[in-house]
Amino acid sequence: MYIQIAVVAIAVILIAGENLEAVADAQSSTEDGPSSIVATSTLEIEGGYAKYGDYIGLTPVDSQSVEFSQISQRIVKDIQIRFVNNKDQLLDEKGQPIKGRTRKDFIIGLLKLKPGQVFREDLLAADLQRLRRLESFNEVNVYRQEDANSVNLIYQIKERNFPSLIFGGGNNDDVGLYGRVGYKDENISGLNDKLDTTVQISGKDVQFNGQFTSRYRPQEPNRLGYSIRAFRTRNTSGTFNDDIRLSGGDKVREGRFGGSVGVLKSFDQWDAGISLNYTRISLRDREYNVAQVDRLGSPLSLSGTGIDDLYTVLFSVSRDQRDRRENPTQGSIFTLSTEQAIPIGLGNIYSNRLRGNYIQYLPVSWIGNGRPTDNPEMLAINLQIGTILGDFPPADAFNIGGINSVRGYGYGKVASGRSYGLVSVEYRFPIFYSLGGVVFTDLASDFGSSGTVLGEPGVLRDKPGSGFGYGLGLRFKSSFGLIRGDFGISDQGELRFEVTTGQRF
């Protein structure tokens, strides 16, 4: 029995300061001023909700129970944005309204239903779902107050704790002991711009991954979103693993460094992006010297030098219909991408990588009691498919197997192929409020394509080409994110227990 345990130690440190909208950004930040939001003279708490002005009562809105065919002739008179803290309070210790980081004009700009328009249930439900999908929001609710002629809408928002520092460490076969520190913010300048950086330091190397994303804003249709990324990574190779090593007996190390720049735009319910990417892939020994062939004389790179350059143009489209981005409870997300390699640099690579990914979340109530939980009961289904046209580096094959692929197998132990298909099904259920369980199964195949990869690394290493795994897992919702532990059993009889963060999909 082979058991691999990776332990992640994470601490989140909030950066103090009441007004963080003035962090570095090309656009100036201003205090919320007069807009379409009508100020009210009084605020009091009644029945757990806010009561503003002469409002008589609050009617909560559930995006899952609206009747989309219903059209009202009442006019939206006012929209207000209110923030709550982690204790669900609208007022701080001084009796002042909670001040959020997100700019209110940014939130209003995302809404389709605005003051002066005819009130429609379907637009309200769509707006609520749109806000819940923002990564910077932990919880969004909307309450309405209405009379015969008008409707007032009050959005109540609990923000996630950003920015945060992430600390971790571990040990692996490549660099040994390492430490890791990261910084993450999903709401720079109150506009949901994202910065995600990680630095990993060991006695052998320094690795990093940093990305800044300024998302497309529907309220600014002439402005494109954009993304900038730089990275440097190394690890034992998922393609050239197992018993066939280098002539000196070393495992094959795989190093990558590069970056990308891209632009983003949304069309109706579709998000699209196009980016220019560069990656240098190098295969190396324990001392990190470049290696050209393994001990059987099989090539490790397309160029024959041990190093390949990938210059690519990536185009992708996706449609996100999840009820929320973080740990969704229902809905789906569908993504298609095509990545064209340009024959420049070592390897003179000319190929096209096609991929499709579909995820569906189906709420069920087989054992649940309907009470709120961080781990709602559901079926989650993931379908993936991909293929590569043309010549490509063997290290860039589709590696099947691992904690984010077929669980119960090690990374790349099922196949290293030109094509692949993957089906994963999870039944997720609550145990306690913050603790949930999972029963899962994963099935994948390379469709017999491993023999078409240069040097046939998967065939020579006796990778089966297809396989399935199944098992049990735990999910714990902590203050710094979801902790995932999966115990997987492969159809080859291998047992693996692995711990990481975030859902499998």
Side-chain angles (χ1 to χ4, degrees), residues 157-328:
I157 297 172
K158 180 189 294 186
E159 296 178 307
R160 294 178 65 191
N161 292 327
F162 287 115
S164 61
L165 287 175
I166 302 173
F167 297 96
N171 179 70
N172 65 33
D173 292 338
D174 180 21
V175 299
L177 291 173
Y178 64 85
R180 182 180 297 160
V181 60
Y183 175 87
K184 186 175 183 179
D185 193 350
E186 297 274 5
N187 197 11
I188 295 176
S189 296
L191 296 170
N192 275 246
D193 289 346
K194 176 181 178 180
L195 177 63
D196 194 349
T197 61
T198 303
V199 177
Q200 180 174 303
I201 302 175
S202 68
K204 291 186 176 182
D205 207 351
V206 176
Q207 304 174 53
F208 60 86
N209 187 6
Q211 182 168 353
F212 176 79
T213 303
S214 182
R215 297 178 176 89
Y216 174 75
R217 300 168 195 158
Q219 64 271 38
E220 301 178 44
N222 296 325
R223 173 194 177 275
L224 294 175
Y226 63 92
S227 178
I228 303 171
R229 183 190 178 207
F231 62 90
R232 184 179 188 273
T233 64
R234 61 172 282 184
N235 211 329
T236 52
S237 175
T239 302
F240 303 100
N241 52 20
D242 284 328
D243 297 329
I244 301 178
R245 302 189 178 188
L246 299 175
S247 57
D250 291 345
K251 291 183 178 181
V252 181
R253 270 71 174 172
E254 183 178 312
R256 294 178 180 241
F257 78 85
S260 66
V261 292
V263 294
L264 312 169
K265 188 173 175 60
S266 297
F267 303 90
D268 195 14
Q269 297 186 17
W270 291 88
D271 298 316
I274 185 169
S275 62
L276 178 63
N277 314 274
Y278 170 71
T279 303
R280 167 160 283 196
I281 306 173
S282 59
L283 290 308
R284 300 173 180 267
D285 61 15
R286 178 182 293 273
E287 302 303 321
Y288 222 54
N289 299 311
V290 175
Q292 298 179 3
V293 297
D294 62 21
R295 68 177 178 84
L296 297 181
S298 301
L300 300 179
S301 65
L302 192 63
S303 70
T305 66
I307 300 175
D308 287 317
D309 289 323
L310 269 173
Y311 292 88
T312 66
V313 177
L314 172 65
F315 175 73
S316 65
V317 293
S318 65
R319 186 176 184 181
D320 189 348
Q321 295 183 301
R322 295 172 293 179
D323 60 343
R324 61 191 186 200
R325 191 182 298 266
E326 178 74 12
N327 198 22

Side-chain angles (χ1 to χ4, degrees), residues 46-164:
E46 182 173 284
Y49 301 123
K51 179 182 176 184
Y52 301 96
D54 332 348
Y55 295 165
I56 306 231
L58 288 168
T59 304
V61 176
D62 185 351
S63 64
Q64 302 174 21
S65 63
V66 300
E67 297 180 7
F68 295 102
S69 60
Q70 179 182 354
I71 299 179
S72 169
Q73 294 304 310
R74 291 167 297 175
I75 302 299
V76 177
K77 181 180 179 182
D78 182 24
I79 295 179
Q80 298 187 26
I81 307 297
R82 301 293 174 185
F83 295 98
V84 298
N85 59 21
N86 290 331
K87 298 179 180 180
D88 294 321
Q89 297 171 334
L90 287 160
L91 304 178
D92 61 20
E93 296 177 352
K94 298 180 180 180
Q96 298 298 313
I98 299 296
K99 185 176 182 179
R101 292 187 66 202
T102 311
R103 289 170 49 169
K104 294 182 180 180
D105 59 343
F106 169 78
I107 299 174
I108 295 293
L110 295 175
L111 305 178
K112 298 294 185 182
L113 189 60
K114 300 182 185 295
Q117 295 180 343
V118 174
F119 175 76
R120 287 175 50 184
E121 295 274 9
D122 58 335
L123 290 182
L124 178 60
D127 284 342
L128 180 59
Q129 186 176 11
R130 186 176 300 107
L131 294 182
R132 284 175 172 172
R133 285 201 297 263
L134 294 181
E135 293 184 26
S136 58
F137 292 164
N138 188 45
E139 183 178 332
V140 182
N141 294 298
V142 61
Y143 305 95
R144 69 187 184 205
Q145 297 173 319
E146 50 198 336
D147 55 32
N149 300 314
S150 64
V151 179
N152 297 291
L153 301 176
I154 302 171
Y155 285 90
Q156 186 169 291
I157 297 172
K158 180 189 294 186
E159 296 178 307
R160 294 178 65 191
N161 292 327
F162 287 115
S164 61

Side-chain angles (χ1 to χ4, degrees), residues 462-501:
D462 294 322
K463 298 183 182 183
S466 62
F468 71 89
Y470 57 93
L472 301 171
L474 291 175
R475 306 289 185 267
F476 176 68
K477 181 68 177 297
S478 70
S479 59
F480 47 81
L482 188 74
I483 304 295
R484 166 163 64 107
D486 284 336
F487 178 75
I489 306 171
S490 76
D491 57 333
Q492 302 286 325
E494 185 177 4
L495 307 178
R496 298 178 69 89
F497 178 70
E498 298 179 284
V499 178
T500 185
T501 57

